[in-house]
Amino acid sequence: MSNLVSIPKNGSLAKTKANAIKGFPFVSSFFDDMFLEDFPSLFSSNFNAGVSLPKVNIKETEDSFHVEMAVPGMKKSDFQINLDENVLSVSTELEEENEVNETGFTRREFGYSSFRRTFTLPDTVDDNKILAEYNEGILSIKLPKKEEAKKKPARTIKIS
């Protein structure tokens, strides 16, 4: 199902021959091995503080693709799911503000978090029948395939 999403493991540029210097390892590979090996959680994650990309499972069946995203602690109204051309995007923005006034002091706390995941859909997806539901911390999106894209059962052809 690599046609739905293609993200390098550590967020670096994909390793291609265009990045290579003749006789040397790929530059991306060289720096990954040298510098990131000891600090994977520090340097291979996003640098945006307060942003955490939810884990995603993508599964293909004969009739559809299924995207499951782990996003506990939210409500279904927190999500924005959009389809533009063949790009599906899932995003959310949460702001929280809390103020406590007690004798002699005021404590004010606030927080902000957001994420956005995008997926390029294959042409085989019937974009008029996409369904989404949120249940117990899991956002599930069903991407049905067009009838002509569904796998047809094997059959025998008679010779006349």
Side-chain angles (χ1 to χ4, degrees):
M1 232 167 35
S2 60
N3 57 351
L4 276 183
V5 65
S6 176
I7 300 174
K9 274 187 177 179
N10 64 0
S12 66
L13 295 174
K15 300 170 188 169
T16 64
K17 289 186 179 186
N19 300 48
I21 301 171
K22 191 168 184 151
F24 288 94
F26 292 121
V27 175
S28 176
S29 173
F30 176 75
F31 286 112
D32 289 351
D33 294 344
M34 187 171 191
F35 297 109
L36 299 181
E37 190 172 296
D38 293 331
F39 306 103
S41 62
L42 178 62
F43 293 107
S44 63
S45 63
N46 290 331
F47 289 117
N48 300 330
V51 175
S52 172
L53 290 178
K55 302 292 184 189
V56 175
N57 290 327
I58 301 173
K59 182 174 121 181
E60 181 178 7
T61 65
E62 288 183 18
D63 298 334
S64 61
F65 296 97
H66 297 270
V67 178
E68 293 181 333
M69 190 175 297
V71 279
M74 296 187 167
K75 302 179 296 257
K76 67 180 180 179
S77 60
D78 293 335
F79 298 100
Q80 180 111 358
I81 302 174
N82 295 314
L83 183 64
D84 184 15
E85 297 296 322
N86 64 336
V87 177
L88 180 76
S89 66
V90 179
S91 61
T92 187
E93 290 185 32
L94 297 173
E95 291 184 54
E96 185 178 5
E97 190 169 325
N98 191 5
E99 186 172 322
V100 177
N101 290 313
E102 292 187 18
T103 309
F105 76 92
T106 300
R107 182 181 71 196
R108 187 175 205 184
E109 296 178 359
F110 62 92
Y112 177 84
S113 64
S114 69
F115 75 82
R116 180 181 176 105
R117 296 290 307 253
T118 60
F119 307 93
T120 301
L121 302 181
D123 294 333
T124 58
V125 171
D126 186 347
D127 60 4
N128 293 315
K129 295 182 179 177
I130 296 174
L131 301 171
E133 80 175 24
Y134 182 70
N135 189 20
E136 295 186 16
I138 303 293
L139 178 65
S140 300
I141 304 171
K142 182 179 180 182
L143 307 163
K145 292 181 182 178
K146 295 176 182 173
E147 284 301 318
E148 60 270 15
K150 292 179 182 176
K151 187 176 180 180
K152 297 184 175 41
R155 61 188 177 109
T156 302
I157 311 291
K158 290 185 179 183
I159 301 172
S160 55

